[in-house]
Amino acid sequence: MGAADEERLALLHDRTPEETLVGALLLEPRNYPEAALEVSPEDFASDIPRRAYEALGRLVAAGGEIDAGLVAREAFPEERELWGAILDMQERAVTSSAWRSWAKQVRSASEKRAAYKAATLAASSVLDPENDSPIATLRAAVDELEGRAHADAPAP
């Protein structure tokens, strides 16, 4: 993807849902296992919320009390200047009860980014003069997107 594609892709990204989801889970870490069924670290476009989400998952799996400071130290052991970002996320959340809504927004944004990337790749492949089967290329891109949607769907 070129610079223009990266710029368009950035328009599909809003850090607010990611940061607020992490903040809501910091307020109530016991919701993390359920959230993890809907959102994976790969669904995060922003590095800081993704790393905090991963750290929260490791701490929840280990058991024990969890607070923003512990998550900050786990997520950014060598980057103390980022510890404040964890507190900012927690303050942004206000309440833990809306985490499902934020999780859906994170997941939806991830799916839009994946669709955009696949469409861009398919379009560039179709326009490639060396490509002898542009329809097959488009079908493969659609199959890939559908496969991701089915693989990521929560179990009934």
Side-chain angles (χ1 to χ4, degrees), residues 1-155:
M1 288 193 338
D5 293 322
E6 291 293 335
E7 189 174 307
R8 286 186 199 100
L9 192 56
L11 295 174
L12 296 175
H13 177 60
D14 177 10
R15 290 173 54 154
T16 301
E18 294 178 1
E19 292 174 351
T20 308
L21 171 61
V22 170
L25 295 173
L26 284 167
L27 291 171
E28 197 57 68
R30 66 185 168 99
N31 290 328
Y32 181 88
E34 191 176 347
L37 295 174
E38 293 187 39
V39 177
S40 72
E42 293 77 27
D43 290 323
F44 287 77
S46 299
D47 185 55
I48 293 172
R50 179 189 48 78
R51 288 170 60 190
Y53 186 78
E54 290 172 327
L56 187 57
R58 289 189 301 274
L59 293 168
V60 166
E65 292 296 315
I66 297 172
D67 62 34
L70 188 59
V71 172
R73 288 188 296 278
E74 175 74 17
F76 313 109
E78 303 296 323
E79 301 161 285
R80 293 183 72 137
E81 68 277 8
L82 296 177
W83 290 9
I86 302 294
L87 294 173
D88 291 343
M89 287 184 232
Q90 186 172 355
E91 288 176 11
R92 179 186 297 265
V94 181
T95 178
S96 63
S97 63
W99 73 265
R100 285 181 183 85
S101 172
W102 295 111
K104 286 178 184 168
Q105 289 182 48
V106 169
R107 183 72 183 149
S108 174
S110 175
E111 290 169 354
K112 287 176 186 175
R113 287 189 305 274
Y116 181 82
K117 286 179 181 178
T120 302
L121 180 61
S124 65
S125 296
V126 167
L127 298 175
D128 182 355
E130 301 292 319
N131 187 349
D132 294 332
S133 57
I135 298 301
T137 301
L138 289 173
R139 283 192 181 129
V142 169
D143 289 346
E144 181 180 332
L145 284 173
E146 288 178 344
R148 177 190 161 134
H150 294 300
D152 293 341

